[in-house]
Amino acid sequence: MRTSAPSVSPQFLGGCATSAVTSASITTTATLTGDVHATNETGGWIGDYLRDPGGALHHVLASLAEWAITFGPIVGPLLAVGLGLLIGVRRWWRRHCHQRLAADARMVTVLAPPRVDPAGGAALWSHLVGLLRPAWKRWFTGQPHVGCEYVFSETGVAIRLWVPAVIPPGLVERAVEAAWPGAHTRTSTAEPPLPEAGSAQRRVVVGGELRLARAEALPIRTDFDADPIRALIGAPVGLGRNEHACVQVLARPVTGHRVAKARRAARRVHTGNSAHLVGRLLDHITPGARTHRKPTTGSATSGRDPQTALEHSAANRAIVGKQRGSQYETVIRYAVATVLPDKASDAELRRAREVARGRAHALAASFASYTEHNHYTRHRLPHPGATFADRRLGRGDLLSVPELAALAHLPTDEAIPGVQRAGAKAIAPPPGIATPGREAKPLGVTDTGHPRPVALRVPDARHHLHVLGATGSGKSTLLGTMILADAEAGRGTVVIDPKGDLVTDVLSRLPRWAADRVVLFDADSRHRPPCLNPLDGGETDLTVDNLVSVFRRVYSAFWGPRTDDVMRAACLTLRVQDGVATLADLPKLLAEPAFRSRVTAGLTDPVLKGFWSWYDELTDSARSQVISPLMNKLRAFLLRPFVRDAIAAGRSTVDMGRVLDGGICLVRVPKGSLGEETTRLVGSLVVARTWQATTARASIPQRQRRDASMVIDECHNFLNLPYPLEDMLAEARGFRVAMTLAHQHLGQLPRELRAGISTNARSKIFFNASPEDARELARHTAPRLSDHDLAHLGVYHAAARLVLRGEEAEPFTLTTQPLPPAIPGRARDIRRTARQSTHTRGPNAPKTSTSDRCDADSRQSTATAARPRPQAAPGSSPRSARRPRSTDPRRHG
C-alpha cells in the first residue's frame, strides 16, 4: 500500500531558508521531498516530462535558479576557496615531488664510441620505457622523467643524461652501454647545465621552448639520410670562453589515460575535427561547421582532389604508425648564456644579448629538419636560467620512441668535431675471473656493467704476466698494487725498479709488521747497502758462467771473445782460492803481478795454469791491449760506492732463497744516479742471483715450495742471462716463481726476447700503446678488442687477457685503482728496520775477501810456512786437502 507524505509549501520553505543559515539543509531536503511526492502523485517526473517536456524542464530550471539565488552567496565563495586550495595543494605537491627527484640527482656523461650504431637511440629509449611506475604510484607521486642534454662550450659538446634520485644511475649506464657497445659513462652529481654567475659577474641568458605546432597525434620526421644532430652540434660553433649553450630534451614514459587521450585526439584529426578544446568549442558555436564533416580518408570521389586525398591518407598512416609503440611525453628547451663582468656597460650587455639571441635562434632553427606531418614552433620561456637548472617537466608533447630517438641520440657521424668520444670499447670480464683475496692479486675494477674488482689468481700468475704501457698510463700503479698484495699475503717478492718511484711508493705503504722482511738496495741512500756478491756461493761453473754472460750481454757492442776469455779465467781463478772472491779482486789480479802470483800459485787446473802462463809471457803493452776492454768497464762499475758496497764488499749478506720464501727485496737503481749501463748490470746481477735461488728449489718437494714473484720494470734492461727466456719462464712456473715483466713499447725488446715474452708470459695487460704496437698486440685480443681500441685506451685504462685455470680467457677491459694513501714516516721506519735486519741476517763468517786474505798471508809468511799442512787422503786432490768442502749445497750444486 502506497503511503504519501504531506506536501510542503515552497513559499513556506523559502521563508524558512531566509531565516538562518543553519536551517538551509533541512529546508532544501524538505523542498526536494515535496517535489518528489508531488510528482509521484501525478505520475512522477518522467510522467510530467512525457506529458509536458517544456514545462518539466522549466520547472527544474526554476528550482535550480531559486536554489542558486538563495544559497549562491554562501556556496559560491566556499567552492572558489576550496578549488583554489585544491589547485594550490596540487601544485605544491607536484613541486615537492620534483624537489625530491632533483635533490640527489646524478649526471651521467656519455662518451660516444668510435663507431656509433644508428639504431642505438631507439634501443636506449625502448629500454627506458621500463621506468614506468605502477598506476597508483604515478597518481600519487608522479612519473619521474629523464633529461638528455647537449651542453656546448668553448671545448666542444658534452652529451649528458640527467637521472633523478629515484632511478638507479646504474640502470641508465647499462642501458647506454647496451645501446651503444663501446660507449663509456661517467656518473657525477648533477649540476646546472648553464654555469652560474660568480662574484662580481653578471649572466645574460636567452632561451626558449619548442612545442609541436599541430596535433601531437601527427608525427615528426624520423627517416634521415644523414645524422640530423649534425646541424644541432654545428649551430653554436665559435663559442667564446665565457659563452655556453644547452639543448635540453626532457622525457618521461606515459601510458593509460595520457595515451588514451592522444588516441582520441587522433580520431578527431582523422575525422577532420579540431584536436584542441578551443577549436572544438568554436566548431560547436559556428553554424554549419559540423554539418558536412566526413572522414579524411576519402579519395577523389569524396569531393577532394587526388593530391589532397593522398596527403590525408599518408597522414592517417603516420598517425597509426606513431600509436603502435611506446610513447613519451617530451619538452625541448634551448638556451644560450654569457657571463660578463659586473662592471660591464649597457652597450656590452646589449651586444652580448644580441649575440646570445642569434645563437639561440640558430639552435632552434636546427630542429626544422624534423618537419614532416608535424613540426616544432618556438615559444617564449620566462626565466630560462632558472627553468634549465630546475629541469622540471610539466605537460609536454607526445612522441613515439623513434621520434624521441631521432631527437636525442649519440652523433653517428664520425666527422663531427668537438664530440667527447670514448677511446676504446668497454668489455666485461668473462665468467670465472677472480676477485681480490689472499690467493688472488688485485688488478683493478671493471669499467662496464656493475663495477666489481678483478684479480689474478696466484696459481694462474705462475704462467707469468706481461705488462706494456707508455709512461704515465698507469703501469706503475698496477705493479705497486700487486707488490703490496704479495707483501700482505706473506709471499716472497723481488722488485727491480730502474726509475725509483715504484720502490718509493711501495716503501711508504708497506705494513709495519713486514719491515723485518725487507731487503733494500737503494742507490740514492747514504747508508751502506746489503751485499749480494755474484761470486759468492753456488756452483763455481754456473756462478761464473752467469756473471760473464751478464757482462757480455750488457756490453755486447764492446765485448769480444778475448775479453770473455780473460774475465772467465780470472773469475774461475778467484773462486778456487780460500776466502770470498769479489769483483773488486779482478783489477788486482789482472794488473798487479805480486797479487797475481800469490793467487795463481796454488792452481792445479792445467787449463787455468796454461792461461796464466800465457798471460805472464805477454809484454806490458800486449797485456794492456788484452785487458783494457775489461778494465775500463770494471773501473766504471766499481768506482761507484754503492756498486762497490752492494756487489763487491765481501761475503753476501742477503740469502735470495730466504727472500723467495717470504722476504721482500726492493732494488732501487735509478738510471739518473748510476747511469744506464751500471743500472743494467746491477739489475741483471740481481736477476741472475734470484734465478740461482729459484733453481735451487729443485731439492724441495713441489707441494712445499712457497709462491713467490719477481717484478721487473723496464725488463728489457735486465733479462741478460745465458739461458733462453722461454726455458727460464717455463722452469720458473714449476718452481712457483711468478714473473711480471713490464716495459713501455715493443721496440725496446730484441726479436728473440719479444717472441719469448709473447709466447711464455701468457697473461697480458696492455695500457695505451702506439698504433704500430697496437697492430701487433691486437693478435692477443682480437676480435673483441681491435688495434684501434688498444691505441685509444685512456689513462689508468687497460685491456687484459688473463690465464684462467690454465687456459687463456677472453679479453676484457679494466681500470686500475690508485694506491692507498702514503703513511707519513712509514718509509723511514722501513728503511731503518731493513738496515738493522740486514746486519743480523747474513752468515756469521767474517767478510774476508781474497785480496785481504792474500795480504794477510804475505804479512805472516813465516808463520804460514812453519805451520804443517793437512795431509791429503789417498786418491784425493791437493785442492780437497787444502780447502774443506763447504756445507752450503748451493756452493757445490
Side-chain angles (χ1 to χ4, degrees):
M1 182 175 180
R2 182 175 177 182
T3 304
S4 61
S7 61
V8 181
S9 172
Q11 291 78 5
F12 176 77
L13 292 178
C16 294
T18 56
S19 62
V21 176
T22 56
S23 61
S25 59
I26 301 175
T27 305
T28 304
T29 304
T31 303
L32 295 178
T33 305
D35 290 341
V36 170
H37 289 295
T39 56
N40 285 339
E41 292 178 353
T42 58
W45 185 86
I46 297 177
D48 295 341
Y49 179 76
L50 293 175
R51 286 192 299 269
D52 186 9
L57 292 176
H58 178 73
H59 178 70
V60 171
L61 292 177
S63 299
L64 292 176
E66 186 178 359
W67 186 90
I69 293 173
T70 304
F71 303 106
I74 299 174
V75 177
L78 292 177
L79 289 177
V81 172
L83 183 61
L85 288 176
L86 181 62
I87 294 175
V89 170
R90 185 168 177 265
R91 289 185 176 180
W92 173 85
W93 180 248
R94 287 188 175 183
R95 189 179 301 108
H96 173 71
C97 292
H98 178 73
Q99 290 175 353
R100 290 181 59 188
L101 295 178
D104 297 321
R106 275 88 64 196
M107 186 66 68
V108 179
T109 302
V110 182
L111 303 181
R115 296 180 181 177
V116 178
D117 186 1
L124 171 67
W125 295 109
S126 297
H127 185 93
L128 294 182
V129 173
L131 298 177
L132 271 172
R133 288 179 164 185
W136 68 269
K137 205 167 187 178
R138 293 198 307 270
W139 180 85
F140 187 68
T141 59
Q143 172 64 40
H145 60 277
V146 178
C148 178
E149 298 178 349
Y150 299 89
V151 182
F152 303 89
S153 63
E154 182 187 18
T155 59
V157 56
I159 303 175
R160 303 170 181 172
L161 292 175
W162 178 82
V163 183
V166 296
I167 299 176
L171 186 149
V172 178
E173 293 174 2
R174 303 296 83 75
V176 170
E177 294 168 0
W180 294 289
H184 289 185
T185 56
R186 299 174 181 172
T187 303
S188 59
T189 303
E191 297 179 353
L194 299 175
E196 300 287 346
S199 58
Q201 288 182 335
R202 300 178 64 180
R203 188 178 68 167
V204 176
V205 183
V206 177
E209 189 172 83
L210 297 176
R211 303 301 296 267
L212 290 178
R214 303 179 64 187
E216 62 184 9
L218 292 169
I220 60 175
R221 183 182 178 185
T222 59
D223 186 15
F224 297 90
D225 295 332
D227 190 0
I229 296 295
R230 181 189 303 174
L232 173 63
I233 295 180
V237 170
L239 290 174
R241 178 175 300 178
N242 296 322
E243 294 179 331
H244 302 268
C246 179
V247 173
Q248 193 177 77
V249 181
L250 303 179
R252 61 166 169 251
V254 294
T255 185
H257 173 73
R258 185 69 177 84
V259 175
K261 185 176 180 181
R263 289 177 178 174
R264 289 195 299 269
R267 286 194 295 269
R268 297 189 187 98
V269 174
H270 177 77
T271 58
N273 295 325
S274 176
H276 299 285
L277 177 61
V278 176
R280 292 197 300 272
L281 292 176
L282 292 176
D283 288 342
H284 280 288
I285 65 177
T286 301
R290 299 176 52 86
T291 304
H292 301 290
R293 290 294 178 96
K294 296 182 179 180
T296 59
T297 57
S299 60
T301 59
S302 63
R304 291 186 175 88
D305 62 279
Q307 181 67 30
T308 304
L310 290 175
E311 291 178 359
H312 284 288
S313 178
N316 290 333
R317 286 195 299 269
I319 291 172
V320 174
K322 177 175 180 176
Q323 294 177 350
R324 278 201 297 261
S326 302
Q327 306 288 312
Y328 276 86
E329 193 170 16
T330 61
V331 165
I332 302 176
R333 299 183 181 124
Y334 60 93
V336 179
T338 303
V339 179
L340 299 174
D342 190 24
K343 299 180 180 179
S345 62
D346 294 340
E348 293 175 340
L349 289 174
R350 192 182 313 109
R351 190 181 307 110
R353 187 175 296 277
E354 292 175 355
V355 173
R357 185 178 293 108
R359 296 190 184 279
H361 290 336
L363 288 174
S366 65
F367 286 86
S369 58
Y370 296 95
T371 300
E372 197 174 48
H373 298 287
N374 212 334
H375 63 278
Y376 279 103
T377 57
R378 308 177 196 176
H379 292 261
R380 184 174 178 272
L381 184 65
H383 311 293
T387 304
F388 261 74
D390 191 33
R391 296 184 176 95
R392 185 175 178 182
L393 174 58
R395 182 174 179 83
D397 300 319
L398 213 61
L399 295 181
S400 63
V401 168
E403 292 176 291
L404 182 56
L407 291 168
H409 64 270
L410 296 183
T412 59
D413 193 345
E414 300 178 11
I416 295 179
V419 178
Q420 296 181 2
R421 295 188 180 273
K425 289 184 291 187
I427 305 295
I433 294 295
T435 55
R438 188 169 181 83
E439 293 301 322
K441 304 180 182 183
L443 301 178
V445 297
T446 59
D447 60 342
T448 182
H450 178 67
R452 69 176 183 90
V454 292
L456 178 64
R457 296 173 61 247
V458 172
D460 294 331
R462 299 170 194 158
H463 293 275
H464 313 299
L465 175 62
H466 178 206
V467 181
L468 182 143
T471 301
S473 60
K475 185 171 72 273
S476 298
T477 301
L478 172 66
L479 297 180
T481 301
M482 298 177 66
I483 294 167
L484 292 174
D486 285 334
E488 290 278 355
R491 290 185 288 269
T493 305
V494 178
V495 181
I496 301 176
D497 179 18
K499 291 181 290 189
D501 295 338
L502 177 59
V503 168
T504 301
D505 292 340
V506 170
L507 281 174
S508 59
R509 293 167 174 85
L510 278 175
R512 188 183 301 275
W513 53 266
D516 57 348
R517 298 160 45 205
V518 174
V519 176
L520 177 62
F521 292 88
D522 189 355
D524 291 334
S525 177
R526 295 175 298 177
H527 300 277
R528 186 184 183 92
C531 181
L532 190 64
N533 187 355
L535 288 175
D536 181 24
E539 186 179 353
T540 296
D541 294 336
L542 181 61
T543 300
V544 172
D545 191 47
N546 287 341
L547 179 60
V548 175
S549 177
V550 168
F551 271 84
R552 181 176 64 249
R553 289 176 178 265
V554 171
Y555 299 105
S556 58
F558 313 100
W559 198 270
R562 180 176 293 179
T563 305
D564 191 274
D565 185 37
V566 170
M567 184 173 185
R568 188 180 302 274
C571 291
L572 288 172
T573 301
L574 292 175
R575 281 279 297 189
V576 301
Q577 302 303 311
D578 292 337
V580 180
T582 67
L583 284 174
D585 298 330
L586 280 179
K588 289 183 178 182
L589 180 63
L590 296 175
E592 297 181 8
F595 181 82
R596 183 169 59 252
S597 62
R598 290 192 297 269
V599 172
T600 59
L603 288 177
T604 59
D605 191 323
V607 177
L608 290 179
K609 292 178 65 176
F611 172 82
W612 291 115
S613 298
W614 166 81
Y615 186 81
D616 289 334
E617 292 175 358
L618 295 174
T619 62
D620 292 341
S621 59
R623 189 181 299 114
S624 176
Q625 292 180 357
V626 170
I627 66 174
S628 58
L630 178 60
M631 292 293 287
N632 58 29
K633 297 171 180 58
L634 287 174
R635 289 195 185 99
F637 181 68
L638 295 172
L639 283 175
R640 302 181 184 275
F642 167 78
V643 177
R644 189 166 56 248
D645 294 337
I647 302 298
R651 190 179 299 276
S652 295
T653 60
V654 178
D655 186 352
M656 296 305 295
R658 293 179 58 185
V659 170
L660 295 180
D661 287 339
I664 305 171
C665 182
L666 305 177
V667 183
R668 185 178 181 274
V669 282
K671 294 181 180 180
S673 301
L674 298 179
E676 183 173 357
E677 291 183 346
T678 304
T679 295
R680 294 177 59 191
L681 191 55
V682 173
S684 299
L685 292 176
V686 174
V687 173
R689 193 57 179 269
T690 305
W691 180 243
Q692 288 181 0
T694 300
T695 56
R697 288 184 159 198
S699 59
I700 304 175
Q702 187 172 9
R703 63 180 180 275
Q704 298 180 8
R705 297 169 188 166
R706 299 179 61 181
D707 280 286
S709 62
M710 181 161 53
V711 180
I712 309 176
D713 197 8
E714 306 294 338
C715 63
H716 56 283
N717 293 311
F718 309 116
L719 298 179
N720 302 302
L721 299 178
Y723 354 92
L725 179 65
E726 54 270 20
D727 296 343
M728 178 180 174
L729 295 176
E731 294 180 23
R733 181 174 63 87
F735 295 130
R736 295 196 174 184
V737 174
M739 298 185 66
T740 300
L741 308 176
H743 62 106
Q744 297 177 7
H745 56 88
L746 293 178
Q748 297 172 319
L749 305 178
R751 180 177 301 177
E752 298 80 6
L753 188 58
R754 183 187 309 177
I757 292 178
S758 177
T759 304
N760 297 281
R762 297 177 60 192
S763 294
K764 315 284 184 182
I765 296 181
F766 302 139
F767 290 86
N768 182 268
S770 65
E772 294 78 14
D773 289 349
R775 282 194 293 270
E776 185 169 350
L777 296 174
R779 296 181 298 175
H780 297 284
T781 60
R784 302 192 72 185
L785 290 170
S786 65
D787 55 348
H788 179 277
D789 297 320
L790 298 181
H792 290 81
L793 290 166
V795 63
Y796 306 117
H797 190 207
R801 184 172 187 179
L802 306 179
V803 171
L804 181 60
R805 295 180 177 87
E807 298 180 355
E808 293 182 0
E810 291 293 325
F812 64 96
T813 53
L814 59 91
T815 56
T816 58
Q817 296 296 292
L819 293 173
I823 303 174
R826 179 59 55 84
R828 181 176 61 253
D829 296 340
I830 296 289
R831 290 175 182 272
R832 180 172 59 251
T833 305
R835 288 195 301 270
Q836 297 172 356
S837 301
T838 301
H839 296 297
T840 61
R841 194 182 289 125
N844 295 326
K847 303 176 183 179
T848 306
S849 65
T850 301
S851 60
D852 296 336
R853 181 63 178 267
C854 291
D855 292 340
D857 289 347
S858 64
R859 290 193 300 268
Q860 300 177 2
S861 58
T862 305
T864 303
R867 183 181 304 135
R869 292 188 177 183
Q871 298 296 324
S876 62
S877 63
R879 175 185 170 187
S880 62
R882 289 174 38 247
R883 184 180 184 187
R885 184 176 178 86
S886 173
T887 58
D888 186 359
R890 294 179 290 111
R891 186 169 179 86
H892 298 283

